[in-house]
Amino acid sequence: MTAGIVELDLHGLNCRQAKIKIDSILRRLNSRKLTSYFKNMDQ
């Protein structure tokens, strides 16, 4: 697996909104990593 950089634009968001956005994106990225991990296990 390779590491990556994700840029987020949080301008104009308050602290609560920024946390929700960051958590949502991290969940989405983690599910992609797990999906690709399990696909690689099958090969």
Side-chain angles (χ1 to χ4, degrees):
M1 271 191 241
T2 59
I5 297 173
V6 176
E7 291 185 30
L8 303 176
D9 182 12
L10 303 176
H11 288 92
L13 301 180
N14 64 35
C15 189
R16 183 173 183 269
Q17 292 169 327
K19 183 184 180 315
I20 290 169
K21 185 171 184 174
I22 292 168
D23 287 344
S24 168
I25 291 171
L26 286 174
R27 256 186 259 111
R28 197 174 327 139
L29 292 174
N30 284 334
S31 69
R32 285 186 193 162
K33 278 180 26 179
L34 287 175
T35 301
S36 68
Y37 174 75
F38 288 121
K39 283 181 183 176
N40 290 336
M41 283 181 58
D42 293 336
Q43 296 175 354

